Amino acid sequence: SIYKISSLSQGGRVVAQSLGGVLVNHGSDNLQHNVLLNVVEEMAIASGTPVPPVYLLKNEDGINAFAAGFTTNDAVIGITQGALDYFSRDELQGVVAHEFSHIINGDMRINMRLTGILYGITLLGLIGYFIMRGSSVGKRSKKGNQAALLGLGLIVIGYGGTFFGNLIKASVSRKREYLADASAVQFTRNNHGIANALKKIGGYKFGSKLETSEAQSFSHAFFSNAISTKFSSLFSTHPPLSERIKALDPQWTGRYHNTDTTNP
């Protein structure tokens, strides 16, 4: 855990790069990139924080975004290509404002530490698995039996800890998402931008899912669920889309946008 947290100590750019993010620079001829940078600058002013570097997950069709880092000085904003392709400017603004809430409220710092702790606990279980596997090869002996018991104990501790750790991660994250949604409305003075962004995710064939294997480690840092889980209601790091939308738009009829035909 200490090793993992230390490896993340360089800030959000480490997370963005591990997810396949590419830094978006000023002076680009790409209209999408320029709009994104302008929106990030606007929301930095609205939230009273420094303008963070912006990373684009170019190979991700899912609609999602994230903030990562320990402080406002090493924070980054990340967004998927799917979000740039399908969000209007108001929707993009609402999502970026949501991520700025995570920056100023310290949520991303909690997320980074949770990532490190869960990494260490999971590693215990993996060590136990390989000890048991090694002890089962060859002739059985007293030492082999002891090693098997040690491996079993580490598996119980590791995977048991991971189970409860993921429950805690999900519970903490779900509560902070409502606050970030409310803060996005405060920063933008517009509840429809972020509400419509959520409606587009609900009506999109790829949803908010990411392809990168690193999405599991940082699932609690994203704007919407980045992974599929077997026990979605138990381990989901985000409240259901319908509940988030209802909180933002009480008049919502329950119909999602047909996103695949509404590319702006």
Side-chain angles (χ1 to χ4, degrees):
S1 294
I2 293 172
Y3 163 78
K4 186 64 174 180
I5 293 173
S6 176
S7 70
L8 295 172
S9 63
Q10 297 178 55
R13 67 179 181 85
V14 176
V15 176
Q17 291 168 356
S18 71
L19 292 167
V22 177
L23 184 65
V24 181
N25 294 306
H26 285 277
S28 170
D29 293 331
N30 188 302
L31 178 60
Q32 287 183 333
H33 295 180
N34 291 328
V35 170
L36 173 61
L37 291 173
N38 289 339
V39 166
V40 170
E41 289 174 357
E42 291 167 3
M43 292 302 97
I45 293 171
S47 61
T49 58
V51 180
V54 182
Y55 283 81
L56 176 64
L57 276 58
K58 297 175 66 174
N59 299 320
E60 296 290 352
D61 293 320
I63 298 176
N64 224 320
F66 67 91
F70 284 97
T71 69
T72 55
N73 294 323
D74 63 22
V76 305
I77 293 286
I79 196 155
T80 64
Q81 185 62 50
L84 284 190
D85 288 341
Y86 287 97
F87 280 160
S88 67
R89 197 181 196 283
D90 282 350
E91 292 159 359
L92 184 63
Q93 192 178 61
V95 171
V96 170
H98 171 105
E99 297 307 327
F100 268 97
S101 173
H102 287 314
I103 292 175
I104 64 176
N105 289 318
D107 300 339
M108 62 178 188
R109 188 187 308 114
I110 295 172
N111 291 341
M112 297 281 271
R113 288 174 178 166
L114 278 172
T115 297
I117 292 169
L118 285 172
Y119 177 88
I121 295 172
T122 302
L123 193 59
L124 277 178
L126 288 173
I127 291 170
Y129 166 77
F130 285 113
I131 289 175
M132 283 196 69
R133 185 177 177 181
S135 66
S136 66
V137 177
K139 187 178 178 180
R140 275 288 183 185
S141 65
K142 184 177 181 181
K143 288 185 178 180
N145 291 333
Q146 290 174 344
L149 287 174
L150 173 61
L152 179 60
L154 288 175
I155 288 174
V156 171
I157 293 170
Y159 289 104
T162 300
F163 175 84
F164 289 106
N166 280 326
L167 281 181
I168 294 169
K169 180 177 80 170
S171 177
V172 170
S173 181
R174 284 196 294 263
K175 291 180 180 179
R176 305 305 289 179
E177 289 305 310
Y178 285 118
L179 173 61
D181 285 348
S183 295
V185 176
Q186 178 186 357
F187 294 150
T188 61
R189 299 291 190 267
N190 177 13
N191 66 313
H192 295 295
I194 186 170
N196 287 337
L198 291 167
K199 293 172 189 176
K200 280 191 174 179
I201 290 174
Y204 184 43
K205 62 182 178 182
F206 294 116
S208 53
K209 303 299 184 293
L210 269 66
E211 295 296 326
T212 173
S213 60
E214 289 295 317
Q216 173 68 48
S217 298
F218 302 103
S219 60
H220 51 307
F222 287 94
F223 173 69
S224 184
N225 282 321
I227 59 172
S228 298
T229 58
K230 292 181 179 179
F231 304 99
S232 57
S233 61
L234 193 61
F235 293 117
S236 176
T237 52
H238 295 69
L241 285 177
S242 59
E243 293 183 12
R244 292 175 68 183
I245 295 169
K246 273 290 187 182
L248 293 161
D249 181 8
Q251 306 304 316
W252 181 53
T253 61
R255 294 184 63 184
Y256 294 108
H257 291 172
N258 187 0
T259 306
D260 296 310
T261 60
T262 58
N263 188 333

